[in-house]
């Protein structure tokens, strides 16, 4: 596993860097296919912010936390990553045992009409982001979305080959957007 450190507004002492590397390599005991990890350290508003992003065999996992002490912030973020890695590993073992299931996500027609009725002012795009679109099932996409902590996720559907979007519904559950 490759470990990179990115610092902004904070200086990383050598002993804390060694501590962080040692702890990060212990994650491999849970799952040995962690390709690389980036630790971003920042100091904002009197708090140390630590963001850990790991590429776990093609699945991106992210943990972020903050504390006045750099070690405490790192430990909290690392616990988030450990939890996600364990969850992902159990998912993979369950998936190996699981049979293919028919999944159907229904979109509430009232939600679509309510969004269409609202007139919104023109908004300016302030950020653009490019990313790769991975091939996966809708179930895998919802898991990836949960691991990243996002409210939606774009993916290429394994069954249809089309670009789809899964999203978290306010009423609970997930939705799937498929192009016609």
């Amino acid at each position: 596993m490759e470990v990179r450190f990115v610092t902004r507004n904070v200086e990383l002492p050598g002993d804390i860097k060694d501590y962080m590397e040692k702890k990060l390599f212990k994650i491999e005991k849970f799952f040995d296919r962690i390709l690389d990890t980036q630790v971003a350290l920042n100091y904002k508003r009197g708090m140390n912010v630590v963001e850990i992003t790991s590429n776990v065999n093609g699945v991106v996992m992210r943990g972020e936390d903050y504390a006045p002490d750099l070690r405490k912030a790192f430990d909290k973020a690392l616990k988030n990553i450990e939890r996600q890695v364990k969850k992902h590993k159990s998912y993979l073992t369950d998936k190996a045992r699981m049979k293919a299931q028919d999944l159907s996500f229904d979109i509430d027609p009232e939600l679509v009409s309510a969004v269409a009725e609202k007139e919104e002012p023109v908004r300016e795009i302030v950020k653009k982001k490019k990313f790769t679109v991975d091939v996966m099932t809708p179930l895998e996409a919802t898991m990836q979305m949960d691991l990243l902590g996002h409210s939606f996720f774009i993916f290429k559907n394994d069954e249809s080959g089309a670009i789809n979007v899964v999203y978290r519904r306010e009423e609970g559950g997930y939705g799937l957007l498929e192009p016609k």
Side-chain angles (χ1 to χ4, degrees), residues 111-133:
L111 179 65
V112 175
S113 64
V115 171
E117 291 175 6
K118 289 185 179 178
E119 295 272 339
E120 301 243 353
V122 177
R123 298 175 192 247
E124 179 183 353
I125 296 174
V126 295
K127 182 179 178 181
K128 291 184 182 181
K129 185 175 182 179
K130 293 186 179 187
F131 57 93
T132 58
V133 178

Side-chain angles (χ1 to χ4, degrees), residues 20-31:
M20 290 178 177
E21 286 178 338
K22 182 180 169 186
K23 288 277 204 169
L24 285 168
F25 282 111
K26 286 186 178 181
I27 296 178
E28 287 187 316
K29 72 180 177 183
F30 301 120
F31 195 69

Side-chain angles (χ1 to χ4, degrees), residues 1-6 8 24 27 34-41 50-65 74 77-78 80-82 84-85 129 144 147-148 150:
M1 170 174 66
E2 178 187 339
V3 178
R4 291 182 314 275
F5 290 93
V6 177
R8 297 179 201 108
L24 285 168
I27 296 178
I34 300 174
L35 304 176
D36 67 337
T37 300
Q38 177 176 312
V39 180
L41 309 165
V50 177
E51 179 183 320
I52 303 172
T53 307
S54 292
N55 183 351
V56 181
N57 200 27
V59 177
V60 177
M61 298 187 184
R62 188 175 157 276
E64 179 179 355
D65 221 310
F74 172 76
L78 188 63
N80 290 337
I81 292 288
E82 284 178 2
Q84 291 176 24
V85 168
K129 185 175 182 179
Q144 178 71 38
L147 289 172
L148 291 172
H150 292 170

Side-chain angles (χ1 to χ4, degrees), residues 2-178:
E2 178 187 339
V3 178
R4 291 182 314 275
F5 290 93
V6 177
T7 59
R8 297 179 201 108
N9 303 326
V10 68
E11 198 170 306
L12 180 62
D15 61 329
I16 294 180
K17 182 177 179 180
D18 294 339
Y19 169 81
M20 290 178 177
E21 286 178 338
K22 182 180 169 186
K23 288 277 204 169
L24 285 168
F25 282 111
K26 286 186 178 181
I27 296 178
E28 287 187 316
K29 72 180 177 183
F30 301 120
F31 195 69
D32 60 350
R33 290 184 248 157
I34 300 174
L35 304 176
D36 67 337
T37 300
Q38 177 176 312
V39 180
L41 309 165
N42 197 353
Y43 188 78
K44 291 183 189 174
R45 300 182 190 134
M47 299 293 266
N48 288 296
V49 181
V50 177
E51 179 183 320
I52 303 172
T53 307
S54 292
N55 183 351
V56 181
N57 200 27
V59 177
V60 177
M61 298 187 184
R62 188 175 157 276
E64 179 179 355
D65 221 310
Y66 56 91
D69 181 44
L70 193 57
R71 284 182 198 241
K72 287 182 182 176
F74 172 76
D75 289 339
K76 288 181 187 178
L78 188 63
K79 281 186 182 182
N80 290 337
I81 292 288
E82 284 178 2
R83 180 182 44 78
Q84 291 176 24
V85 168
K86 288 176 186 177
K87 185 176 177 181
H88 181 64
K89 184 176 181 180
S90 70
Y91 166 75
L92 291 177
T93 54
D94 290 347
K95 182 181 172 189
R97 289 185 231 137
M98 204 170 45
K99 293 180 181 178
Q101 295 180 0
D102 228 4
L103 292 177
S104 171
F105 293 99
D106 295 326
I107 298 173
D108 187 1
E110 293 176 12
L111 179 65
V112 175
S113 64
V115 171
E117 291 175 6
K118 289 185 179 178
E119 295 272 339
E120 301 243 353
V122 177
R123 298 175 192 247
E124 179 183 353
I125 296 174
V126 295
K127 182 179 178 181
K128 291 184 182 181
K129 185 175 182 179
K130 293 186 179 187
F131 57 93
T132 58
V133 178
D134 296 323
V135 177
M136 58 183 68
T137 65
L139 182 63
E140 292 170 332
T142 57
M143 176 171 262
Q144 178 71 38
M145 178 181 68
D146 287 338
L147 289 172
L148 291 172
H150 292 170
S151 57
F152 69 94
F153 188 77
I154 301 171
F155 67 103
K156 187 171 184 178
N157 195 321
D158 187 28
E159 298 161 2
S160 66
I163 300 294
N164 291 174
V165 176
V166 290
Y167 64 95
R168 187 173 293 109
R169 294 174 46 97
E170 289 181 15
E171 299 85 23
Y174 301 97
L176 174 67
L177 300 177
E178 296 177 309

